[in-house]
Amino acid sequence: MNAVTRCDADARERHRTLDFIGLRAHATTVGLIQLCEELLNAGVLKPEGLERIKNAIRTELTVSNARISNQQDFDTTLRHRIDAIFPQAPGQPPKEHVGSLDEFEDALGEYHGA
């Protein structure tokens, strides 16, 4: 089994576990974002670590939305949106504007939920 397949299997199993225990709450997400900001400001979390956290979230969302018709557009839009809600490392320039909710929904294409 290669690393990509193992990673996908791990991501899918983590997704099923998160779904089972219900950790999809807005409060949990807001807490994670605040925690990341606090750790960045304290110098405990490095920008590379924050990128790994955001990539893990993106991977989870990609696994949970595997039936999206235009996966590449979805991935790009998702990456921009995740960048927009997470804090920047001190001294880093702000991220670009990510667009409207309508633009994000357009990126989903024919996908209308699980």
Side-chain angles (χ1 to χ4, degrees), residues 7 11 14 32 47-63 75 78-80 82-83 86:
C7 178
R14 184 175 53 245
L32 174 63
E48 301 82 21
L50 179 60
E51 287 304 312
R52 287 190 297 273
I53 291 168
K54 293 188 303 186
N55 284 336
I57 292 168
R58 188 181 52 77
T59 298
E60 168 58 22
L61 292 172
T62 299
V63 166
D75 288 344
L78 181 59
R79 182 178 303 279
H80 288 298
I82 290 172
D83 284 345
F86 273 83

Side-chain angles (χ1 to χ4, degrees), residues 81-96:
R81 290 204 174 262
I82 290 172
D83 284 345
I85 63 170
F86 273 83
Q88 296 298 315
Q92 295 291 319
K95 296 287 183 177
E96 64 186 72

Side-chain angles (χ1 to χ4, degrees), residues 2-61:
N2 65 33
V4 173
T5 304
R6 186 169 23 90
C7 178
D8 288 346
D10 291 346
R12 289 180 197 287
E13 182 58 32
R14 184 175 53 245
H15 171 76
R16 285 190 289 271
T17 301
L18 291 172
D19 219 19
F20 177 72
I21 61 177
L23 284 179
R24 298 213 174 264
H26 290 260
T28 303
T29 302
V30 170
L32 174 63
I33 291 167
Q34 183 63 40
L35 177 63
C36 288
E37 184 172 355
E38 297 292 333
L39 293 173
L40 277 171
N41 290 337
V44 175
L45 179 63
K46 295 179 179 170
E48 301 82 21
L50 179 60
E51 287 304 312
R52 287 190 297 273
I53 291 168
K54 293 188 303 186
N55 284 336
I57 292 168
R58 188 181 52 77
T59 298
E60 168 58 22
L61 292 172

